Amino acid sequence: MPRYDEVTQRAGSVRSMTGFTAAEFMALLPHFEHALVAYLQDRTIDGQPRTSRRYTTYDTCPLPTTADKLLFILTYVKQNPLQEVQGQLFGMSQSNANKWIHLLHPVLNRALADQELLPARTADDLAAMLT
């Protein structure tokens, strides 16, 4: 299963997996981490409201670092694999891949929106960006 530290050892791997250069990936990482922390303050990994303890990464987490989480979701968005394939690639079941995708995709969108990097979805959005 790919880890960010391993992927960066191979030239061009980050770009081929995510569509981002290593520098672009590193520039997005703090914004993604901020959006993830903000999300996990109020919600659990399953999307339920957080009622008691705060989020901590458990020892057997398939995505132990924030860079691994960003690599996972960017790979999913760029490659568009079946969740079963995404799970196999990152060493988890399809159901866990589904859970992580549904957690991390809105977090990625929030991180991109905070930097005003989301693509325009309508002609009105495009016109607003050009003015």
Side-chain angles (χ1 to χ4, degrees):
M1 70 190 123
R3 297 276 184 248
Y4 179 75
D5 293 339
E6 297 166 1
V7 171
T8 57
Q9 300 304 314
R10 297 183 300 269
S13 290
V14 173
R15 177 80 179 220
S16 64
M17 288 181 73
T18 66
F20 283 66
T21 64
E24 292 167 337
F25 185 97
M26 292 309 294
L28 178 59
L29 187 59
H31 300 281
F32 180 78
E33 184 171 23
H34 182 274
L36 181 63
V37 167
Y39 178 87
L40 290 174
Q41 283 180 345
D42 300 328
R43 300 275 176 196
T44 66
I45 289 177
D46 296 320
Q48 301 300 317
R50 188 167 295 283
T51 57
S52 58
R53 59 189 192 105
R54 63 185 182 91
Y55 171 78
T56 57
T57 302
Y58 49 95
D59 292 339
T60 59
C61 180
L63 304 170
T65 68
T66 305
D68 291 333
K69 291 172 178 70
L70 182 57
L71 179 68
F72 174 87
I73 195 61
L74 289 176
T75 300
Y76 179 77
V77 170
K78 180 179 188 282
Q79 305 297 337
N80 196 27
L82 296 173
Q83 291 178 0
E84 180 68 30
V85 173
Q86 184 76 359
Q88 288 296 318
L89 181 61
F90 284 86
M92 62 181 80
S93 66
Q94 179 275 325
S95 62
N96 274 341
N98 177 280
K99 182 180 8 176
W100 281 106
I101 290 165
H102 283 88
L103 163 70
L104 297 175
H105 199 255
V107 170
L108 175 62
N109 285 340
R110 176 78 286 156
L112 292 172
D114 288 346
Q115 298 178 81
E116 298 180 358
L117 294 175
L118 281 178
R121 299 290 182 193
T122 65
D124 292 336
D125 291 345
L126 183 59
M129 289 186 336
L130 296 175
T131 60

